[in-house]
Amino acid sequence: MSLLSRVASKIADDARNVLNTPRELALEARYTVQAYRRGDVSATQLGRTAAVTGFAILVVAVLLFPIYWIAMSAISGSGGTVYAAGGFSFFPDNPSIQPFVWVLGDLIVPALAVTVNVPFTDLALVFNTPEIAFLDASDHGVDNPSNFKQYFVNSVIVSVPTLILAMCVIVPAAYALSRREFIMRRKVLFGYVLFTQVGGGLGIAALIALYAMFVQVGLNNNRLALAAYYAATAVPFNTWLLKTYMDGIPVSYEEAALVDGAPPWRVVVEVILPLSAAGLATVTIFTFLTGWMEFVVAQTMLSADKFTLPVGLFALVDEYSIPWARFSAFALTFASPVMLVYLFAQRYIEGGLSFSGMEG
Amino acid sequence: MSATSRIADRVAEVPAIEREDVSLLLVLPGLFLFAAFMFFPMLYLLGISFTNARPSNLFAGGGFLTFGEATFVGLENYVAVLTDGTFWNSLGTTWLFVATSLVLKIGLGLGVALVVTNERVRGARFMRSLLIVPMGLPAIFTITIWRGIFTSAQFGLANQLLSWLGAGTVAWLNERWPAFIAYNITEMWLAYPFMVIITVSALQDVPKELHEAAMVDGAGYFSRFFHVTLPSVKRPVLFASILTAAASFQQFLIPYAFNRGGPARLNELVIVYGYREAFQFSEYGQGAAIMLVAVVFIGAFMWLNVKKGRLADGVDEA
């Protein structure tokens, strides 16, 4: 529980920071204007700062424009407004959430009748639960919603086992690589670092053989077999990442625990793991996302009823009849939770990726 | 540099945690899992590449890790592949893509990193965290958005921009070089966050004193950039470049999602070529040979870089 509350407080912190940034910037701008009035800052300096900042904002806006564009397409209702014949407009004329309703479809918990027989009597208690409708698609004029929910369930069935299996092999390995010395240690580490970058393409290169193997044992179209594969691909990068976090924990903490007479496993459980919580969180997110976002292998292995979300998304785009607005809404619903998680995990990811040991 | 080995050395001095090769057991499950799904298929792939395997004969007769009723054809697949113009076109296009996209990625990454580390920019930290959001997005999501941007129809964003600039519209994905340009732009957008992260952290490590000293000597912005900034960030950027060049070489999703490496197989980067040969045209043996040739190329490329760029010293310690 303490881990959860810590994560919650971190998120609250970040959110507060995000909300405060505009206010702080405004305050800073006001101070600067005051300084300018007093004559502490010259007009050229002020102008230069404003110009450079403006340029930076422009760069950010241009680079992030595709995301804005897809968001605008998603709420453009019929899908005709963002790219209407009259040219591009920054905001659709008739914004509508209908495409999102199409993605989610009905969110209805059906009415259930639960019967409990009272023992030794003929009595039976019957509970009728009411139907709970969060969202009724037909109210919004959507008759034929997307398969989003089905794909979502498939993705969960793939991603959760991926996460569990991957964590089971990654955590001990990261600990050993960080804290113990053994034969082949450097070779393993070096191999892992190399495979972090060439793994994706190798996976596709080996896909022919992998597919043949899965078919031969009848495991193609099996979501759990796919999860095992994803867990395997997640091993090199995440082991290495978690190891670099564990390297940051001072050895003196362990020594203190050892001096107090704690057995090695307690040192690991009560010192190392809690202190590498940030790394564990990052690795958890990454291994989960491995299964959540992979496309090529899933597309090759799975048949339509077992499609995961990325495959379902791509199946949409391959049908030319699909309106752009619906596709955008589907894509955003799939990607925005990932994007949010990533925003909050960002500083940890940056820390792990900066190759801080590399110098000229 | 050697922070890790020092920690390990110090732990080795602690009596309770002795230097023990038993610790290898903690690493083995992960290694085994990885090998089972990576190296093992690679070996099997090597076997397949010497046969005339197709779905019809490979899966006949059942059995695991057999070649079914496929027959051994020796080096026939390799001969067929290496004498095929389409393959060399694909490999050439791939290397061209590596070169062009690498230049674009480094250029954009370095440029953006310089902008958001400029001390005059207000709210730079905030901008940085927004800027690298694309890295956290599912690749298939990003690539399908860009496919929408480059759609040949008039309403595509790229075409809207062109017509706004007064140029005509382009059938982006139906012609060879426009499609190639579209791949490059998309790859640039996919990879810039990685470059920005690495460059920004390298730039922040450049000592302020160096810049100040250069300023005292009367160096302008550009000469400071070339003589102070660039040499200090060279190695991290080089490292990132090699990794992202490897990523470009293995690019699959962009050509596949945009137009299946079209038009008419002209832009099939080599992995797409092998994939389509195997799964679209059911030539498993041929596809396996192509994939292995590609793996040899990327392996040689990485090996050369690791040796020549002395990357091993850095990575080994990382």
Side-chain angles (χ1 to χ4, degrees), chain B residues 253-290:
Chain B
L253 270 184
I254 294 178
Y256 184 80
F258 272 26
N259 52 10
R260 299 283 198 281
R265 311 196 72 178
L266 281 173
N267 279 323
E268 279 180 355
L269 302 187
V270 67
I271 302 274
V272 180
Y273 184 66
Y275 180 89
R276 280 187 25 113
E277 203 62 39
F279 291 104
Q280 217 98 30
F281 305 109
S282 298
E283 292 285 356
Y284 284 7
Q286 195 93 333
I290 295 165

Short mmCIF file of all heavy atoms in Angstrom, two decimals, chain B residues 253-290:
data_model
loop_
_atom_site.label_atom_id
_atom_site.label_comp_id
_atom_site.label_asym_id
_atom_site.label_seq_id
_atom_site.Cartn_x
_atom_site.Cartn_y
_atom_site.Cartn_z
N LEU B 253 7.90 -1.38 -39.74
CA LEU B 253 6.52 -0.91 -39.63
C LEU B 253 6.20 0.21 -40.61
O LEU B 253 5.11 0.23 -41.18
CB LEU B 253 6.24 -0.43 -38.21
CG LEU B 253 5.72 -1.48 -37.26
CD1 LEU B 253 5.41 -0.85 -35.93
CD2 LEU B 253 4.46 -2.12 -37.83
N ILE B 254 7.14 1.15 -40.80
CA ILE B 254 6.81 2.30 -41.66
C ILE B 254 6.51 1.83 -43.08
O ILE B 254 5.41 2.07 -43.59
CB ILE B 254 7.92 3.35 -41.64
CG1 ILE B 254 8.04 3.97 -40.25
CG2 ILE B 254 7.64 4.45 -42.65
CD1 ILE B 254 9.15 4.98 -40.14
N PRO B 255 7.44 1.16 -43.75
CA PRO B 255 7.12 0.73 -45.12
C PRO B 255 5.92 -0.21 -45.17
O PRO B 255 5.08 -0.10 -46.06
CB PRO B 255 8.39 0.03 -45.61
CG PRO B 255 9.26 -0.13 -44.45
CD PRO B 255 8.83 0.84 -43.41
N TYR B 256 5.83 -1.09 -44.18
CA TYR B 256 4.75 -2.08 -44.21
C TYR B 256 3.40 -1.40 -44.05
O TYR B 256 2.46 -1.67 -44.79
CB TYR B 256 4.95 -3.12 -43.11
CG TYR B 256 3.93 -4.21 -43.14
CD1 TYR B 256 4.04 -5.26 -44.04
CD2 TYR B 256 2.84 -4.20 -42.27
CE1 TYR B 256 3.10 -6.27 -44.08
CE2 TYR B 256 1.89 -5.20 -42.30
CZ TYR B 256 2.03 -6.23 -43.21
OH TYR B 256 1.09 -7.23 -43.26
N ALA B 257 3.31 -0.48 -43.09
CA ALA B 257 2.02 0.15 -42.83
C ALA B 257 1.67 1.19 -43.89
O ALA B 257 0.50 1.38 -44.21
CB ALA B 257 2.02 0.80 -41.44
N PHE B 258 2.69 1.85 -44.44
CA PHE B 258 2.40 2.91 -45.42
C PHE B 258 1.86 2.31 -46.71
O PHE B 258 0.76 2.65 -47.14
CB PHE B 258 3.67 3.71 -45.70
CG PHE B 258 3.87 4.86 -44.76
CD1 PHE B 258 3.32 4.82 -43.50
CD2 PHE B 258 4.59 5.97 -45.13
CE1 PHE B 258 3.49 5.86 -42.63
CE2 PHE B 258 4.77 7.03 -44.26
CZ PHE B 258 4.22 6.98 -43.01
N ASN B 259 2.64 1.48 -47.35
CA ASN B 259 2.17 0.92 -48.62
C ASN B 259 2.81 -0.43 -48.92
O ASN B 259 3.08 -0.76 -50.06
CB ASN B 259 2.43 1.91 -49.77
CG ASN B 259 3.88 2.36 -49.80
OD1 ASN B 259 4.71 1.80 -49.09
ND2 ASN B 259 4.19 3.33 -50.62
N ARG B 260 3.10 -1.19 -47.88
CA ARG B 260 3.68 -2.52 -48.04
C ARG B 260 5.00 -2.46 -48.81
O ARG B 260 5.34 -3.35 -49.56
CB ARG B 260 2.75 -3.47 -48.78
CG ARG B 260 1.43 -3.72 -48.12
CD ARG B 260 1.58 -4.68 -46.96
NE ARG B 260 0.31 -5.27 -46.57
CZ ARG B 260 -0.60 -4.65 -45.83
NH1 ARG B 260 -0.36 -3.43 -45.41
NH2 ARG B 260 -1.72 -5.24 -45.50
N GLY B 261 5.73 -1.36 -48.65
CA GLY B 261 7.00 -1.25 -49.34
C GLY B 261 6.85 -0.95 -50.81
O GLY B 261 7.78 -1.11 -51.58
N GLY B 262 5.68 -0.49 -51.19
CA GLY B 262 5.41 -0.21 -52.59
C GLY B 262 5.94 1.13 -53.01
O GLY B 262 6.65 1.77 -52.24
N PRO B 263 5.62 1.61 -54.17
CA PRO B 263 4.83 0.91 -55.17
C PRO B 263 5.64 -0.18 -55.86
O PRO B 263 6.84 -0.01 -56.05
CB PRO B 263 4.47 2.02 -56.15
CG PRO B 263 5.57 3.02 -55.99
CD PRO B 263 5.99 2.96 -54.57
N ALA B 264 4.98 -1.26 -56.17
CA ALA B 264 5.58 -2.36 -56.94
C ALA B 264 6.89 -2.84 -56.31
O ALA B 264 7.88 -3.04 -57.01
CB ALA B 264 5.81 -1.94 -58.39
N ARG B 265 6.94 -3.00 -55.00
CA ARG B 265 8.08 -3.55 -54.27
C ARG B 265 9.34 -2.69 -54.39
O ARG B 265 10.42 -3.15 -54.04
CB ARG B 265 8.39 -4.98 -54.75
CG ARG B 265 7.18 -5.89 -54.80
CD ARG B 265 7.57 -7.34 -54.88
NE ARG B 265 8.12 -7.81 -53.59
CZ ARG B 265 8.51 -9.06 -53.38
NH1 ARG B 265 8.46 -9.93 -54.35
NH2 ARG B 265 8.97 -9.42 -52.21
N LEU B 266 9.19 -1.45 -54.83
CA LEU B 266 10.39 -0.64 -55.04
C LEU B 266 11.00 -0.15 -53.73
O LEU B 266 12.20 0.08 -53.65
CB LEU B 266 10.06 0.57 -55.92
CG LEU B 266 9.96 0.26 -57.41
CD1 LEU B 266 9.46 1.47 -58.17
CD2 LEU B 266 11.31 -0.18 -57.94
N ASN B 267 10.16 0.05 -52.73
CA ASN B 267 10.66 0.62 -51.48
C ASN B 267 10.67 -0.40 -50.34
O ASN B 267 10.67 -0.02 -49.19
CB ASN B 267 9.78 1.80 -51.07
CG ASN B 267 10.15 3.06 -51.80
OD1 ASN B 267 11.32 3.29 -52.05
ND2 ASN B 267 9.15 3.83 -52.16
N GLU B 268 10.66 -1.67 -50.67
CA GLU B 268 10.66 -2.66 -49.60
C GLU B 268 12.01 -2.65 -48.91
O GLU B 268 13.00 -3.13 -49.46
CB GLU B 268 10.38 -4.05 -50.17
CG GLU B 268 8.92 -4.31 -50.42
CD GLU B 268 8.68 -5.69 -50.99
OE1 GLU B 268 9.66 -6.39 -51.27
OE2 GLU B 268 7.52 -6.05 -51.15
N LEU B 269 12.05 -2.10 -47.71
CA LEU B 269 13.29 -2.23 -46.93
C LEU B 269 13.48 -3.71 -46.65
O LEU B 269 12.53 -4.49 -46.68
CB LEU B 269 13.18 -1.41 -45.65
CG LEU B 269 12.89 0.07 -45.88
CD1 LEU B 269 12.97 0.84 -44.59
CD2 LEU B 269 13.83 0.68 -46.91
N VAL B 270 14.70 -4.11 -46.37
CA VAL B 270 15.04 -5.51 -46.51
C VAL B 270 14.22 -6.44 -45.61
O VAL B 270 13.85 -7.54 -46.02
CB VAL B 270 16.57 -5.71 -46.34
CG1 VAL B 270 17.01 -5.44 -44.93
CG2 VAL B 270 16.99 -7.08 -46.78
N ILE B 271 13.88 -5.97 -44.41
CA ILE B 271 13.09 -6.83 -43.52
C ILE B 271 11.68 -7.03 -44.08
O ILE B 271 11.12 -8.12 -44.02
CB ILE B 271 13.02 -6.22 -42.10
CG1 ILE B 271 14.42 -6.01 -41.52
CG2 ILE B 271 12.19 -7.07 -41.18
CD1 ILE B 271 15.00 -7.19 -40.82
N VAL B 272 11.13 -5.97 -44.65
CA VAL B 272 9.81 -6.08 -45.27
C VAL B 272 9.87 -7.05 -46.45
O VAL B 272 8.97 -7.87 -46.65
CB VAL B 272 9.31 -4.70 -45.75
CG1 VAL B 272 7.94 -4.82 -46.37
CG2 VAL B 272 9.29 -3.72 -44.61
N TYR B 273 10.96 -6.95 -47.19
CA TYR B 273 11.14 -7.82 -48.35
C TYR B 273 11.11 -9.29 -47.93
O TYR B 273 10.37 -10.10 -48.49
CB TYR B 273 12.48 -7.48 -49.01
CG TYR B 273 12.78 -8.23 -50.27
CD1 TYR B 273 12.02 -8.05 -51.42
CD2 TYR B 273 13.85 -9.12 -50.33
CE1 TYR B 273 12.31 -8.74 -52.57
CE2 TYR B 273 14.15 -9.81 -51.47
CZ TYR B 273 13.38 -9.62 -52.60
OH TYR B 273 13.66 -10.31 -53.73
N GLY B 274 11.89 -9.61 -46.91
CA GLY B 274 11.93 -10.99 -46.42
C GLY B 274 10.58 -11.43 -45.87
O GLY B 274 10.12 -12.54 -46.13
N TYR B 275 9.93 -10.53 -45.12
CA TYR B 275 8.64 -10.85 -44.51
C TYR B 275 7.60 -11.16 -45.58
O TYR B 275 6.87 -12.13 -45.52
CB TYR B 275 8.18 -9.68 -43.65
CG TYR B 275 6.85 -9.88 -42.95
CD1 TYR B 275 6.79 -10.47 -41.71
CD2 TYR B 275 5.66 -9.46 -43.55
CE1 TYR B 275 5.59 -10.65 -41.06
CE2 TYR B 275 4.45 -9.63 -42.92
CZ TYR B 275 4.42 -10.23 -41.67
OH TYR B 275 3.21 -10.40 -41.04
N ARG B 276 7.56 -10.29 -46.60
CA ARG B 276 6.56 -10.49 -47.65
C ARG B 276 6.86 -11.72 -48.48
O ARG B 276 5.96 -12.44 -48.89
CB ARG B 276 6.48 -9.24 -48.54
CG ARG B 276 5.65 -8.19 -47.85
CD ARG B 276 5.34 -6.96 -48.63
NE ARG B 276 5.31 -7.05 -50.06
CZ ARG B 276 4.21 -6.91 -50.79
NH1 ARG B 276 3.06 -6.73 -50.20
NH2 ARG B 276 4.28 -6.95 -52.09
N GLU B 277 8.13 -11.94 -48.73
CA GLU B 277 8.51 -13.14 -49.47
C GLU B 277 7.99 -14.38 -48.74
O GLU B 277 7.47 -15.31 -49.35
CB GLU B 277 10.03 -13.19 -49.59
CG GLU B 277 10.58 -14.01 -50.73
CD GLU B 277 10.17 -13.48 -52.09
OE1 GLU B 277 10.12 -12.24 -52.28
OE2 GLU B 277 9.87 -14.31 -52.95
N ALA B 278 8.11 -14.37 -47.40
CA ALA B 278 7.71 -15.53 -46.62
C ALA B 278 6.20 -15.62 -46.46
O ALA B 278 5.61 -16.67 -46.74
CB ALA B 278 8.39 -15.49 -45.25
N PHE B 279 5.58 -14.52 -46.00
CA PHE B 279 4.19 -14.65 -45.59
C PHE B 279 3.20 -14.26 -46.68
O PHE B 279 2.08 -14.74 -46.69
CB PHE B 279 3.94 -13.82 -44.32
CG PHE B 279 4.64 -14.40 -43.12
CD1 PHE B 279 5.78 -13.81 -42.62
CD2 PHE B 279 4.16 -15.55 -42.52
CE1 PHE B 279 6.43 -14.35 -41.53
CE2 PHE B 279 4.80 -16.11 -41.44
CZ PHE B 279 5.94 -15.50 -40.94
N GLN B 280 3.61 -13.40 -47.60
CA GLN B 280 2.69 -13.02 -48.66
C GLN B 280 2.77 -14.03 -49.80
O GLN B 280 1.77 -14.43 -50.35
CB GLN B 280 3.06 -11.64 -49.20
CG GLN B 280 1.87 -10.80 -49.58
CD GLN B 280 1.55 -9.84 -48.46
OE1 GLN B 280 2.43 -9.42 -47.71
NE2 GLN B 280 0.29 -9.51 -48.31
N PHE B 281 4.01 -14.42 -50.12
CA PHE B 281 4.20 -15.30 -51.27
C PHE B 281 4.54 -16.72 -50.84
O PHE B 281 4.90 -17.55 -51.66
CB PHE B 281 5.29 -14.73 -52.17
CG PHE B 281 5.02 -13.30 -52.59
CD1 PHE B 281 5.77 -12.25 -52.09
CD2 PHE B 281 3.96 -13.01 -53.45
CE1 PHE B 281 5.49 -10.95 -52.45
CE2 PHE B 281 3.68 -11.71 -53.82
CZ PHE B 281 4.44 -10.67 -53.32
N SER B 282 4.46 -16.98 -49.52
CA SER B 282 4.62 -18.34 -48.98
C SER B 282 5.95 -19.00 -49.33
O SER B 282 6.04 -20.21 -49.40
CB SER B 282 3.48 -19.25 -49.46
OG SER B 282 2.28 -18.76 -48.99
N GLU B 283 6.98 -18.20 -49.56
CA GLU B 283 8.30 -18.77 -49.83
C GLU B 283 9.13 -18.73 -48.55
O GLU B 283 9.95 -17.84 -48.39
CB GLU B 283 9.00 -17.98 -50.94
CG GLU B 283 8.37 -18.10 -52.31
CD GLU B 283 8.66 -19.44 -52.96
OE1 GLU B 283 9.42 -20.24 -52.37
OE2 GLU B 283 8.10 -19.70 -54.03
N TYR B 284 8.91 -19.68 -47.65
CA TYR B 284 9.61 -19.63 -46.36
C TYR B 284 11.12 -19.74 -46.54
O TYR B 284 11.89 -19.03 -45.90
CB TYR B 284 9.11 -20.74 -45.44
CG TYR B 284 7.77 -20.48 -44.83
CD1 TYR B 284 7.01 -19.37 -45.21
CD2 TYR B 284 7.24 -21.32 -43.86
CE1 TYR B 284 5.78 -19.13 -44.65
CE2 TYR B 284 6.00 -21.09 -43.29
CZ TYR B 284 5.27 -20.00 -43.68
OH TYR B 284 4.05 -19.76 -43.13
N GLY B 285 11.54 -20.67 -47.37
CA GLY B 285 12.98 -20.89 -47.55
C GLY B 285 13.66 -19.63 -48.05
O GLY B 285 14.68 -19.18 -47.50
N GLN B 286 13.07 -19.05 -49.09
CA GLN B 286 13.60 -17.82 -49.67
C GLN B 286 13.62 -16.70 -48.62
O GLN B 286 14.63 -16.02 -48.46
CB GLN B 286 12.69 -17.42 -50.84
CG GLN B 286 13.28 -16.40 -51.74
CD GLN B 286 13.99 -17.08 -52.89
OE1 GLN B 286 14.45 -18.22 -52.78
NE2 GLN B 286 14.08 -16.39 -54.01
N GLY B 287 12.50 -16.54 -47.93
CA GLY B 287 12.40 -15.51 -46.91
C GLY B 287 13.46 -15.69 -45.84
O GLY B 287 14.10 -14.73 -45.41
N ALA B 288 13.67 -16.94 -45.43
CA ALA B 288 14.67 -17.21 -44.39
C ALA B 288 16.05 -16.81 -44.87
O ALA B 288 16.83 -16.20 -44.12
CB ALA B 288 14.64 -18.69 -44.03
N ALA B 289 16.36 -17.11 -46.13
CA ALA B 289 17.67 -16.74 -46.67
C ALA B 289 17.84 -15.22 -46.66
O ALA B 289 18.89 -14.70 -46.25
CB ALA B 289 17.82 -17.29 -48.08
N ILE B 290 16.79 -14.50 -47.08
CA ILE B 290 16.87 -13.03 -47.10
C ILE B 290 17.11 -12.50 -45.70
O ILE B 290 17.97 -11.65 -45.46
CB ILE B 290 15.56 -12.44 -47.67
CG1 ILE B 290 15.41 -12.83 -49.13
CG2 ILE B 290 15.55 -10.93 -47.51
CD1 ILE B 290 14.02 -12.62 -49.66
#
